[in-house]
Amino acid sequence: MSIALQLEPTLTLPAVEYRWDSDTRILSAALTAHEGAERAPARGANGSVEVEGEDGSWLTLDLDDGCVRGVQVAVWPPVRRRAQLSPPRPPARAGRARLKLPAGTSADVVLSLEVTAPLRAEADPAETNFHFVLGRKRAAVSVAIAADILLELDERDHLSGLWLLNVPPTPTSA
């Protein structure tokens, strides 16, 4: 199953607040709108979309009114470090990512969707930039949905990847 998104133009991108859970190595990213930023009209699902990798890894998109408002990832098993990993610059577009609901689904539903797909995590040597690839690698366009979060959309506007940029260091275990 694929995850279809639509992009809505926006004048401002939300800031990102990252948090590491020191016990589980789960990384959370909350998208926080700037004061006075425009708000999309309520017309989408609330809930989450979880992509589970075959190796136990997972990535969750938290939705509010159908828009991506947060991301959680388990960055284990080990992330593949790449010496030459650089995020795409500049992103092709910027905007709000809104989940496209299946035909006949009410826009005010609470959604909990789980998708099993190959999920690969890679990072730069300092682990400040993470790239998650969903499914097989394919041509994609990068889209900024927050100051430090890029989505990759394929030619059908299906989610094919996710970048988390400027991530703070992983907490050390005591």
Side-chain angles (χ1 to χ4, degrees), residues 95-129:
R96 254 184 233 98
R98 186 179 294 276
L99 185 71
K100 288 183 185 174
L101 296 174
T105 303
S106 172
D108 60 355
V109 300
V110 175
L111 180 70
S112 179
L113 176 65
E114 290 185 20
V115 177
T116 301
L119 178 63
R120 294 180 309 283
E122 51 191 17
D124 59 13
E127 291 192 346
T128 57
N129 296 314

Side-chain angles (χ1 to χ4, degrees), residues 93 136 138-141 152-158 160:
R93 300 180 280 174
R136 62 176 173 74
R138 55 197 185 269
V141 173
E152 291 178 324
L153 302 178
D154 67 14
E155 68 280 351
R156 297 183 345 218
D157 287 337
H158 290 183
S160 64

